[in-house]
Amino acid sequence: MKIVAKKKLWKYLFWLGPFLITVGLTVGLVSEQWGLIPLVFLIAGIVISGLGIIWQSYQSNWWNRRSTQAGTNALVATLAVLAILGLINFLGTRYHLRADLTEAQLFTLAPQSRELVSVLPQPVKVWVFDINQNPQDRELLENYQRQSSKFKYEYIDPQARPGLAEKFGVKDYGEVYLESGDKRQLVQTVNENERLSEIRLTSRLQQLTNSTTAKVYLLQGHGERQLSAGKGAISQAVQGLGDKNFTTLPLNLGETSKVPQDATVVIVAGPKRGLFEGEVKALQEYLNRGGNLLLMIDPNTDPKLNSLLQEWGVRLDNRLAVDISGESVVGLGPAAPLVTEYGKHPITKDFGNGNSFYPVSRPLEITSVPGVQATPLLRTKPYPSSWAESDLQSEKLEFNADKDLKGPLTLGVALTRKQTPKSTSTPQASPTPSPLPSPTTQSKTNPTPSPSTKTPQALPLPSPTTQSKASPASPAPTPSPTPSSQTAAESRLVVLGNSNFATDGLFQQQLNGDVFLNSVTWLSQQDQQPLSIRPKEPKNRRITLTTTQANLLILSSLLLLPLIGFAIAVIIWWKRR
C-alpha cells in the first residue's frame, strides 16, 4: 500500500509542471514583461514536466514499445520538416530572392529602371493619394524600393490628411506624385482601368533627378514627317522625347541657314525632297563642331545628302529591302523586314533577340573611313530570307542574281568621329616655339567652338601634335590617338534606311520605339542616363479560328472523341467476354 501511495504521490507531483508553466505564461502575458518571476515559473514547470515524462516512461517501459518508436520517428520527421520550413522562411525574409517565370518578364523591372534607381543621388519618395492599395501597384513600387534604400513610397488618404494633399495640389483620388528635396512632380492618375506605369515612373524619376534639358531640333521644309498628330506623323515619337526630358523644336535651315548653337541633336525624319546645298553645308558644319545627327531616309527619295554621308563612309542603296521570313508574323508583307539581330552598341545593348520591323526600307552600304568608327545596328536575316530588290515596280518580288543583293542587309548604323581639339597659337600651349599659322590654316584648324555642344568634356588646350599640324615649318603630321587628358569633341551620327517605323501606330510596336528613343539618347551624349523602356505585354496566345474550324472542333470534341472512347470500351468488353 505504501508503494502504491508513493507512486500516486509522484504522479500528482508531476502535475505541478504544467501548472507552473501556465502560471509563468499568465504572468508574462498579463504584465507584458518577461522578467525573472515568469521565467522562474516557466523553467521550473518545464523541468518538472520533463522529469515526469521520463519517470512515467521508465515505469511503463514506454520507450521499448513499437508504437513509441514509430511515434518518435514521426515526431522527429515532423520537427525536421518544420525546422527546414522555418529556415527557408528565415532566409527568404533576410535574403530576398524572386524568380519571374513569365516570358515577357512582366513582374521584373527593366534594366534601365534598375540602373537609374540604384544610383539615385538623393532620396526620392512616391506619394500615392488613394484609399485603395492596388496589389499590382504595390508590387511595382516594392520592386523599385528593393533597388535602393533612397527610394520610398507611401499611400495617403487625402481625406485623412488634407494638409498634405493641399501641399501637393491633389484634385482627385489616384494621383501619384514624385518628390525629391523641394521638387515635386505628378506622375499619373491611377484608376481601375489604368495602373501605375513603370515607363512613366522611371521617366519622371529621370526628369526629377536630372537638371539638364537637351534640345532636339527636327528639320522641316522638305516633306519630313509631321510633328503633330496625323497620317504618317511622328507625334508619338515626339511625345516620347518629351517624356525623356528632351525639348523638341522644329528647324527650317532655309530660314536660319545655320543649326542653332544650343542644338543637342538634329533629326531629319523622312524628307521627300532634296535639301539645298547650303542646308547640307550647315549640317556638315554642325557635325564638324561636335554636333549629333539622326538621319532616317526612306527609299525612292534623294535628300541630296551624299556629300555629307560620304565623309562618314555611308552610302544609301536605292534598292528595297525584302524579308520573307517574318511575312506571316508581322502581316505587312515582304517589304517590311523583321529584324532580330542587333549590333553590340549602347543603343541596342538590351534588345536581345527582340523584334522590330521597318516597312519599306533601304539598305545601307558601309565603308571604312579613317577616324570614323561605325557599328551596324540593324541586320536582316541572311539570304534566302532577305535580299535587296532592284525592281521596285514589279508586284511579285523575286531575287535576281544580276541586279539584287543577297542578305544580310544593314538597315541602320551608328557612327562616331573625334573632332580636332581646339588649338591656339599661344606660346604657353606648346613646349617648343613654332611660327604662327597663317589665317587660312588657323581657320581650318581652329573651328569656332559652340557653347551648346553637349560634350561632357571641355575642349583642351592644343597638344604638340595639333600645333605642329598648324605650323608651316613642321613636317607632315602623323595621325595619333588623342590622349585621355586631352579629350577631343566627338560627333555622332545615326543613319537609318527607314522612317516609317517611328510613325504613329508603329512607334509603340515591339522595339520600334526603343530604336528611335535610344538613338536620340545616345546621340545626345548623355550616356549616363538610362535609355528607353517599352511596356511589357504578355504574349498573345489566343487561337483565331474560322467558322469551319470552330465547327469541326465542336464536332470532334462532343461527338467524335466520345464515339472513339465508346468504341474502345466495346472492343475491350468483347475481348474479355
Side-chain angles (χ1 to χ4, degrees):
M1 292 292 294
K2 291 183 178 180
I3 297 175
V4 173
K6 189 175 182 180
K7 289 183 177 180
K8 288 184 178 180
L9 179 63
W10 278 106
K11 183 177 180 181
Y12 291 131
L13 183 62
F14 288 134
W15 278 104
L16 184 62
F19 173 76
L20 293 177
I21 293 175
T22 304
V23 172
L25 291 175
T26 304
V27 172
L29 293 174
V30 171
S31 64
E32 296 184 353
Q33 294 181 356
W34 297 91
L36 181 62
I37 295 177
L39 288 179
V40 169
F41 280 113
L42 286 173
I43 294 173
I46 292 172
V47 171
I48 293 175
S49 298
L51 292 174
I53 294 173
I54 295 173
W55 173 262
Q56 187 67 27
S57 62
Y58 174 76
Q59 291 293 327
S60 60
N61 200 22
W62 183 70
W63 289 105
N64 295 328
R65 296 178 185 178
R66 181 177 297 179
S67 60
T68 302
Q69 295 176 356
T72 303
N73 292 335
L75 179 62
V76 171
T78 303
L79 292 176
V81 171
L82 293 176
I84 292 173
L85 292 176
L87 181 61
I88 292 174
N89 278 275
F90 169 75
L91 294 176
T93 303
R94 188 161 186 174
Y95 306 99
H96 189 78
L97 179 62
R98 301 171 74 246
D100 189 352
L101 302 180
T102 58
E103 182 179 3
Q105 297 293 289
L106 298 175
F107 306 103
T108 304
L109 289 181
Q112 298 90 333
S113 299
R114 296 198 301 268
E115 179 184 351
L116 178 64
V117 178
S118 62
V119 295
L120 284 175
Q122 56 188 359
V124 172
K125 188 169 184 177
V126 174
W127 300 87
V128 185
F129 291 91
D130 202 350
I131 55 176
N132 299 318
Q133 300 186 17
N134 184 272
Q136 181 180 342
D137 295 346
R138 276 192 72 95
E139 179 65 22
L140 178 61
L141 293 171
E142 288 285 349
N143 285 342
Y144 275 93
Q145 189 168 267
R146 293 187 190 102
Q147 308 304 318
S148 174
S149 59
K150 295 182 179 180
F151 186 96
K152 303 293 182 183
Y153 74 92
E154 185 177 350
Y155 277 84
I156 299 296
D157 182 0
Q159 297 288 348
R161 301 181 64 180
L164 186 61
E166 183 179 357
K167 174 183 175 182
F168 281 85
V170 177
K171 299 179 180 179
D172 197 3
Y173 283 102
E175 292 187 4
V176 181
Y177 284 85
L178 195 61
E179 183 182 32
S180 178
D182 57 351
K183 297 180 181 179
R184 303 182 188 90
Q185 191 171 28
L186 175 66
V187 178
Q188 69 178 105
T189 302
V190 296
N191 51 52
E192 294 181 358
N193 300 322
E194 184 178 1
R195 303 317 320 162
L196 187 60
S197 168
E198 178 188 353
I199 301 173
R200 293 188 181 181
L201 184 55
T202 298
S203 298
R204 297 297 183 269
L205 187 61
Q206 179 179 339
Q207 294 176 15
L208 200 65
T209 56
N210 181 26
S211 58
T212 61
T213 301
K215 289 187 177 181
V216 176
Y217 286 86
L218 295 101
L219 191 65
Q220 299 289 286
H222 317 89
E224 289 87 357
R225 296 288 178 179
Q226 182 178 325
L227 305 185
S228 57
K231 184 178 180 181
I234 56 172
S235 62
Q236 292 178 344
V238 172
Q239 178 62 40
L241 292 175
D243 291 339
K244 291 182 66 61
N245 209 28
F246 287 105
T247 300
T248 56
L249 298 166
L251 172 64
N252 193 326
L253 289 176
E255 298 175 352
T256 61
S257 72
K258 188 177 182 181
V259 177
Q261 297 291 335
D262 60 354
T264 304
V265 181
V266 174
I267 300 176
V268 182
K272 294 182 174 60
R273 297 181 295 274
L275 279 68
F276 293 116
E277 184 178 353
E279 294 176 310
V280 177
K281 288 183 177 180
L283 293 177
Q284 289 175 313
E285 292 175 359
Y286 171 66
L287 288 172
N288 290 337
R289 69 174 191 249
N292 310 286
L293 182 62
L294 172 59
L295 299 177
M296 300 189 294
I297 311 300
D298 295 314
N300 295 324
T301 60
D302 183 12
K304 306 297 183 184
L305 292 170
N306 293 335
S307 59
L308 184 151
L309 293 173
Q310 187 176 3
E311 296 178 359
W312 293 76
V314 180
R315 190 182 72 84
L316 301 173
D317 198 312
N318 292 322
R319 288 171 285 199
L320 178 69
V322 175
D323 181 7
I324 60 175
S325 63
E327 181 177 358
S328 59
V329 179
V330 181
L332 297 178
L338 179 68
V339 172
T340 59
E341 180 182 346
Y342 305 94
K344 294 182 179 180
H345 194 271
I347 294 176
T348 55
K349 67 176 181 178
D350 295 320
F351 285 6
N353 294 324
N355 298 324
S356 59
F357 55 95
Y358 306 87
V360 191
S361 301
R362 68 192 310 166
L364 306 176
E365 181 182 328
I366 313 300
T367 56
S368 178
V369 172
V372 175
Q373 182 179 357
T375 304
L377 297 177
L378 312 171
R379 299 273 288 180
T380 65
K381 295 178 176 61
Y383 177 82
S385 295
S386 70
W387 69 88
E389 177 65 45
S390 57
D391 188 1
L392 306 183
Q393 305 300 325
S394 176
E395 296 182 0
K396 188 176 182 181
L397 300 176
E398 293 180 345
F399 178 74
N400 188 329
D402 298 331
K403 300 179 180 180
D404 299 339
L405 177 65
K406 292 183 178 181
L409 308 173
T410 299
L411 303 184
V413 63
L415 309 104
T416 59
R417 183 176 68 186
K418 292 287 185 181
Q419 301 300 317
T420 304
K422 178 183 177 181
S423 71
T424 61
S425 56
T426 55
Q428 293 83 353
S430 176
T432 57
S434 60
L436 291 174
S438 64
T440 306
T441 307
Q442 192 171 12
S443 63
K444 185 175 181 179
T445 57
N446 286 345
T448 303
S450 169
S452 65
T453 303
K454 300 297 182 181
T455 306
Q457 306 90 354
L459 291 178
L461 292 175
S463 63
T465 304
T466 306
Q467 197 162 26
S468 64
K469 187 175 181 179
S471 174
S474 303
T478 302
S480 60
T482 305
S484 59
S485 61
Q486 293 179 335
T487 311
E490 181 180 81
S491 295
R492 295 183 177 183
L493 173 66
V494 173
V495 184
L496 304 174
N498 178 266
S499 67
N500 286 307
F501 80 98
T503 56
D504 295 352
L506 297 181
F507 177 80
Q508 295 179 336
Q509 299 295 322
Q510 302 296 325
L511 294 174
N512 285 17
D514 294 73
V515 175
F516 178 83
L517 294 177
N518 285 7
S519 297
V520 177
T521 303
W522 177 76
L523 286 170
S524 70
Q525 303 199 27
Q526 299 176 8
D527 295 344
Q528 72 278 9
Q529 296 186 16
L531 301 179
S532 73
I533 305 170
R534 304 312 302 157
K536 299 174 182 178
E537 299 178 355
K539 295 289 184 180
N540 185 3
R541 301 298 185 189
R542 291 176 293 181
I543 301 176
T544 304
L545 301 177
T546 62
T547 304
T548 303
Q549 292 172 333
N551 293 333
L552 182 61
L553 182 61
I554 293 173
L555 290 176
S556 62
S557 58
L558 298 181
L559 184 62
L560 184 60
L561 291 179
L563 287 177
I564 293 175
F566 180 74
I568 293 174
V570 170
I571 292 173
I572 294 174
W573 171 80
W574 180 262
K575 286 187 175 182
R576 291 182 177 180
R577 181 169 168 266

